Amino acid sequence: KNPPPPVWAATVAAVAAYAPGTILLQSTMDGGVLGGNESEHNESFALVAKDGPYDMLLPVAWSKRNPGLGDQYPGLIISLQPEIGSSSFPDSVEALERFLAPGDLEGPPLRNGTAPSPAWTTHRYEAAETFNTTYDHVYAYGEPRDLADWVSQAALAQVQQYQLLCE
């Protein structure tokens, strides 16, 4: 359990002593009673039942309430999303060269999300596909000729995702 119970008890005591009346919650989200059913949210523990998503979304999803969560959890309506993000890709081939061996840089990830080598999986490569679809945000800009093309297209896909998030 995080934080450990003695640490949480000391935190509660310190807030009560030095900032009486302050609302103190252990988490921004509880995952539906700590990882169970999201409809069983515990308001005394956390602000909301679910966080995320952290994958790429179709542009239309960003204009909906709770972007990305409504598609994955039909009927889930929350007042705020404490965490939301998108995939993150290297900004240059040189960046990839700093942590991947030359043999792991022979080609870009495939359209279906397949990593080009096991080393990409070791570094937690996540495809640029939207959850429950086959839409690939990188390949939407065309078939990359090589890894440099893929990196450039991935950068465009990331810019679009964060632009939509901010708008």
Side-chain angles (χ1 to χ4, degrees):
K1 196 170 179 179
N2 192 14
V7 172
W8 180 244
T11 302
V12 170
V15 169
Y18 298 106
T22 299
I23 296 172
L24 181 63
L25 296 173
Q26 191 167 349
S27 178
T28 55
M29 73 86 160
D30 62 16
V33 188
L34 303 177
N37 181 341
E38 273 80 14
S39 67
E40 299 174 3
H41 170 58
N42 180 348
E43 290 180 1
S44 67
F45 177 81
L47 293 173
V48 296
K50 187 79 183 121
D51 62 350
Y54 302 103
D55 51 357
M56 297 188 129
L57 302 178
L58 295 173
V60 68
W62 292 103
S63 62
K64 296 179 182 177
R65 181 177 182 140
N66 306 129
L69 291 181
D71 298 332
Q72 295 180 29
Y73 302 94
L76 176 67
I77 297 176
I78 58 178
S79 56
L80 82 134
Q81 283 177 260
E83 298 177 16
I84 190 168
S86 185
S87 298
S88 179
F89 301 108
D91 63 351
S92 66
V93 173
E94 292 78 19
L96 288 168
E97 289 171 340
R98 286 196 289 270
F99 67 90
L100 292 173
D104 296 319
L105 298 167
E106 293 177 6
L110 302 177
R111 179 186 296 271
N112 64 4
T114 302
S117 77
W120 286 66
T121 305
T122 300
H123 291 286
R124 312 241 337 128
Y125 166 71
E126 294 181 5
E129 292 177 352
T130 294
F131 176 79
N132 251 357
T133 74
T134 57
Y135 184 83
D136 188 300
H137 296 262
V138 174
Y139 278 79
Y141 294 99
E143 191 81 23
R145 293 178 308 238
D146 53 24
L147 189 57
D149 268 5
W150 183 86
V151 168
S152 296
Q153 290 171 214
L156 290 171
Q158 280 185 144
V159 166
Q160 182 194 45
Q161 290 293 297
Y162 283 99
Q163 178 183 7
L164 291 164
L165 170 64
C166 292
E167 289 178 350

